Amino acid sequence: MRLARIAHPDGVSFVALQSPTTAGGSPEGGDVCAEIAEHPFGDPTFTGKTWPLADVRLLAPILPSKVVCIGKNYAEHVAEMGGGEAPANPLIFMKPSTSVIGPGLPIQRPADSQRVDYEGELAVVIGQPCRDVPEARAKDVVLGYTVANDVTARDLQSSDGQWTRAKGYDSFCPLGPWIETQLDPSDLAIETTLDGASVQKSRTSMLIHGIEKQIAYISRVMTLLPGDTILTGTPAGVGPMVDGQTVSVTVEGIGTLTNPVRDR
């Protein structure tokens, strides 16, 4: 199932994206948004209301209570950051929920920073409250997968020594365009483009610490709640964005998350 969160003429809803078919079974074209009652967790029920996707606006597909991120999780990225050896365990940090924005909204470069970087990533959305999850059960607690951009004020990351300010500005966590629930995340192509030029390109099979290990490790530290989102790490090729540019992150099997860049 492909889950989204939309703004429509009557308000805001969680929906499932459905492709209508003709009587003969062939696609008609134009996805339809079928409204989900209350929330998408567990076994969602539908209200019967629908809207054409073309007539609504996609929002961030989830509003997590927290965003937990994994740093230095692709070997080539570790090398380009001058980080020495790859971490023996997942290196975790957090972004506030207020950093989340949806597709099409601007990433806002703060006046405090002279260098704001893109970091395209696969994101995991948790589907149930969980703690101390064994790796063998990790996928049981996953709702699905979406696309993320772990925007970073690189100069502040270096000067502060810890990453909260550099990672935590409003608009520094674009998510979207939707959540894909039926997906094997073990070997997906991931690519970031800046104004249409490819700047990051890798596969999730290159993750140093896989998704099951990430969930197990994080859940030993903190309880994960439905909607909490894990950013699994960024490949090599991170670099700066400036006002007027457009950044897109594509993950195979999910889709493309696109955001313009603006000075705040």
Side-chain angles (χ1 to χ4, degrees):
M1 188 180 298
R2 183 165 282 182
L3 303 171
R5 187 169 150 268
I6 63 167
H8 53 78
D10 300 324
V12 172
S13 298
F14 286 108
V15 297
L17 299 184
Q18 301 174 345
S19 297
T21 57
T22 64
S26 59
E28 288 183 342
D31 282 351
V32 170
C33 302
E35 186 179 45
I36 295 171
E38 297 183 357
H39 59 72
F41 306 110
D43 187 12
T45 58
F46 294 88
T47 67
K49 292 183 180 179
T50 62
W51 300 271
L53 179 59
D55 293 346
V56 302
R57 180 166 61 90
L58 287 169
L59 306 174
I62 202 72
L63 295 177
S65 76
K66 54 187 172 290
V67 180
V68 187
C69 310
I70 308 297
K72 300 181 179 180
N73 204 26
Y74 286 82
E76 291 183 353
H77 176 57
V78 174
E80 76 175 349
M81 299 303 292
E85 295 293 324
N89 289 302
L91 175 63
I92 63 175
F93 61 93
M94 296 178 68
K95 298 171 85 82
S97 59
T98 47
S99 66
V100 173
I101 59 172
L105 291 181
I107 296 166
Q108 299 181 43
R109 298 173 73 252
D112 299 338
S113 176
Q114 300 306 304
R115 175 171 169 171
V116 174
D117 284 10
Y118 54 80
E119 293 191 10
E121 310 199 10
L122 170 69
V124 181
V125 181
I126 298 298
Q128 59 184 265
C130 58
R131 182 181 176 188
D132 294 327
V133 181
E135 287 190 39
R137 286 194 53 249
K139 289 188 177 178
D140 295 343
V141 305
V142 173
L143 174 66
Y145 306 89
T146 190
V147 184
N149 189 342
D150 175 19
V151 180
T152 304
R154 191 69 67 200
D155 50 350
L156 303 185
Q157 184 182 27
S158 297
S159 65
D160 288 359
Q162 56 80 34
W163 301 356
T164 302
R165 181 165 69 130
K167 300 281 191 174
Y169 281 93
D170 290 356
S171 80
F172 271 28
C173 188
L175 295 176
W178 38 65
I179 298 167
E180 187 65 60
T181 64
Q182 301 297 319
L183 186 69
D184 178 357
S186 61
D187 186 28
L188 302 174
I190 179 169
E191 182 176 18
T192 304
T193 63
L194 189 64
D195 287 342
S198 180
V199 288
Q200 289 184 287
K201 198 168 187 178
S202 189
R203 302 192 70 86
T204 57
S205 55
M206 302 300 291
L207 287 167
I208 296 170
H209 304 296
I211 290 168
E212 293 91 341
K213 182 175 181 179
Q214 293 179 35
I215 293 171
Y217 188 84
I218 294 166
S219 68
R220 289 203 301 271
V221 178
M222 65 191 79
T223 299
L224 294 170
L225 301 176
D228 283 352
T229 301
I230 299 171
L231 273 55
T232 59
T234 195
V238 299
M241 307 173 289
V242 298
D243 180 74
Q245 292 189 299
T246 298
V247 60
S248 296
V249 183
T250 301
V251 176
E252 180 183 2
I254 302 175
T256 300
L257 169 65
T258 298
N259 298 89
V261 183
R262 299 288 182 266
D263 286 339
R264 182 172 170 180

